[in-house]
Amino acid sequence: MELAYIPSPSRGVIHLGPIPLRGYAFCIIIGVFVAVWLGNRRWVARGGRAGTVADIAVWAVPFGLIGGRLYHVITDYELYFSEGRDWVDAFKIWEGGLGIWGAIALGAVGAWIGCRRRGIPLPAYADAVAPGIALAQALGRWGNWFNQELYGRRTDVPWALEITSSTDGRVPGLYHPTFLYESLWCIGVALLVIWADRRFQMGHGRAFALYVAAYCAGRFWVEYMRVDDAHHILGLRLNNWTALLVFLLAVIYIVVSAKKRPGREAVVEPGAADDDSGAASGDKKAESDAATEDEKTSEADDEAEPESEATSKSEAADDEAKSASEAESARKG
């Protein structure tokens, strides 16, 4: 008898009238918002304009979704193009199936297009959004929980995941929640990149490369635990080989980049510094105008003061003359 386990949702979609609200889609959408929010904060801190990250994300996110889906469909083509399967299902992205490798690769193409249009270096942009991407992955993995997919081997640990669905070859039971393992790992990756970036002032794409390397290290052991169908090469799953190769490339990039271009970019977004200095100049001008107006007011008050004194003296003299006249009249009478 199991004393504790993680229950799976009875369904991954709720219908609001004719509109389906899918848990998988919500996890991805929330992840995108978090990535853009954190990326914007980091971009502004590096000297960029607020809103630039979101503008480029308009290009990167659609490309990333298409790339992630393409990678999944290509590497698991038998799910859509084998006998008895419907190829139209390849377009049903809401049912799950996004390969992070394709998402990052094609998403980078979209980001490059957006950066090129703004005159921004892609490596600087990638460094800013790297921790946010890791957090987006951490949130997106919970979409697998809603779909009861991508779990590990059978287990009786207290945090085991209960699978209740029997569709698509699933066998109900308790399994390792690999979606949770990867989600927690991605949170750790985001914190690692933020810390290392502050500690070592990483630039020219090295913070992004650190994210890639750290993620691949975790993905390797998580992938090794999964039991869903996958292509194998020399006894290892295809994604294990992909993680190993990408890890090595990321480490090589960090080493080579650090030697060729140490430090950070001096300017990440052309014109952003001018905007800041222009705003500062405007503030100073407003302060100067206010000070000048105060000086003019003070001078006007100083000029008005002698006139007031003269008027007072004149009135006093008239009063004295009037009093003297009255006194003379009284004497004569």
Side-chain angles (χ1 to χ4, degrees):
M1 177 178 173
E2 297 83 10
L3 298 179
Y5 57 83
I6 301 173
S8 290
S10 58
R11 54 181 177 173
V13 57
I14 299 175
H15 286 84
L16 186 62
I19 303 175
L21 305 177
R22 303 183 183 277
Y24 187 86
F26 268 113
C27 291
I28 293 176
I29 292 171
I30 294 173
V32 170
F33 274 105
V34 170
V36 171
W37 170 78
L38 181 57
N40 181 72
R41 288 175 59 92
R42 288 172 53 81
W43 183 252
V44 172
R46 289 189 174 217
R49 293 188 180 95
T52 296
V53 169
D55 292 342
I56 297 176
V58 171
W59 289 90
V61 172
F63 273 74
L65 292 174
I66 294 172
R69 188 60 174 177
L70 282 175
Y71 181 90
H72 169 72
V73 172
I74 292 172
T75 55
D76 291 306
Y77 62 88
E78 65 278 356
L79 298 177
Y80 308 100
F81 301 105
S82 60
E83 185 177 356
R85 297 285 185 169
D86 187 357
W87 63 271
V88 177
D89 292 341
F91 297 95
K92 297 179 179 179
I93 191 173
W94 56 86
E95 293 183 353
L98 289 175
I100 185 61
W101 317 112
I104 293 297
L106 209 55
V109 174
W112 175 79
I113 295 174
C115 287
R116 185 177 177 82
R117 290 167 59 89
R118 300 290 291 264
I120 293 172
L122 177 61
Y125 180 82
D127 285 339
V129 300
I133 294 176
L135 290 179
Q137 288 178 253
L139 292 167
R141 273 305 175 199
W142 284 86
N144 302 134
W145 177 62
F146 281 101
N147 287 352
Q148 296 198 35
E149 60 185 0
L150 304 187
Y151 44 86
R153 305 186 186 98
R154 283 185 175 273
T155 183
D156 57 358
V157 295
W159 56 87
L161 173 67
E162 181 190 33
I163 296 298
T164 58
S165 174
S166 58
T167 59
D168 295 330
R170 296 184 182 92
V171 178
L174 298 178
Y175 299 86
H176 276 288
T178 51
F179 84 91
L180 177 60
Y181 299 160
E182 187 168 339
S183 179
L184 294 175
W185 182 271
C186 287
I187 293 175
V189 170
L191 296 176
L192 170 65
V193 174
I194 292 173
W195 171 82
D197 193 26
R198 291 178 178 175
R199 175 67 175 80
F200 302 106
Q201 296 291 296
M202 306 179 79
H204 301 285
R206 289 188 290 276
F208 182 81
L210 175 61
Y211 144 71
V212 172
Y215 171 74
C216 289
R219 179 61 184 267
F220 186 89
W221 66 266
V222 171
E223 187 73 24
Y224 190 75
M225 297 181 66
R226 283 167 49 173
V227 295
D228 52 301
D229 293 333
H231 296 287
H232 287 72
I233 301 175
L234 299 179
L236 287 178
R237 295 164 64 96
L238 175 61
N239 282 332
N240 280 114
W241 288 107
T242 304
L244 181 60
L245 175 61
V246 175
F247 172 83
L248 293 174
L249 292 175
V251 172
I252 292 173
Y253 179 87
I254 293 174
V255 174
V256 174
S257 175
K259 290 182 178 179
K260 288 188 174 183
R261 294 181 294 178
R264 277 184 177 175
E265 297 87 347
V267 178
V268 297
E269 185 170 4
D274 295 338
D275 293 346
D276 294 339
S277 61
S281 299
D283 293 340
K284 290 182 179 179
K285 186 177 183 302
E287 293 175 0
S288 177
D289 292 344
T292 302
E293 187 66 24
D294 290 342
E295 290 177 359
K296 291 181 178 179
T297 302
S298 178
E299 291 175 358
D301 292 342
D302 292 342
E303 292 176 357
E305 186 175 350
E307 295 179 359
S308 177
E309 291 178 356
T311 301
S312 298
K313 290 179 179 179
S314 176
E315 291 177 352
D318 292 342
D319 290 341
E320 290 179 359
K322 184 177 180 181
S323 299
S325 176
E326 291 176 353
E328 182 64 22
S329 299
R331 187 179 64 81
K332 290 180 179 182

